Amino acid sequence: QVQLVEYGGGLVQRGGSLQLACVASVHTSSTLTEAWFRPAPGVVRAFVAAITWSGGTTNYAGAVKGRFTISRENAKNTVYLQMNSLKPEDTAVYYCAARLRGSSVYYIDDNDYAYWGQGTQVTVSS
């Protein structure tokens, strides 16, 4: 079993920044591909970004490229999402997700991930 907990959500003004963190509780022998999702119109959870266990490969949704950066620090079992130049459209509950099998960052469907955090609210004011 993998447990994920998100931190770092909050209220910021347009153009501001936030860093989210996802802390995983998992067997030390496990390697995780992790991703961030958020609700979107007509989609319960839309892909935002993903990263392999090694951190060597990342993938981003087009709407956040150039503004968001996903990274990880495995010694702390933590994946980060640095969000810059935030827009009101980024307002959402952000969820951390993980999968144990496979190392591809091109899993972009929520059904590809078996483990989920509780979500953390990000609100960007106009």
Side-chain angles (χ1 to χ4, degrees), residues 10-111:
L11 173 64
V12 298
Q13 293 184 331
R14 183 194 307 109
S17 297
L18 283 174
Q19 183 178 255
L20 307 183
C22 175
V23 181
S25 298
V26 64
H27 193 285
T28 55
S29 65
S30 298
T31 59
L32 304 174
T33 295
E34 295 188 56
W36 291 91
F37 288 78
R38 67 187 184 186
V43 181
V44 176
R45 291 184 177 90
F47 175 78
V48 176
I51 188 167
T52 57
W53 173 255
S54 69
T57 308
T58 58
N59 188 26
Y60 297 93
V64 306
K65 285 182 179 179
R67 298 191 298 121
F68 291 11
T69 302
I70 188 170
S71 62
R72 70 192 306 156
E73 189 171 1
N74 288 342
K76 296 182 178 180
N77 296 124
T78 302
V79 170
Y80 302 95
L81 185 68
Q82 177 65 46
M83 304 184 294
N84 299 324
S85 301
L86 283 163
K87 306 174 181 179
E89 303 94 287
D90 296 316
T91 295
V93 177
Y94 284 71
Y95 296 89
C96 179
R99 59 178 289 119
L100 288 171
R101 304 182 72 176
S103 60
S104 176
V105 296
Y106 300 105
Y107 292 110
I108 62 173
D109 192 290
D110 59 350
N111 290 323

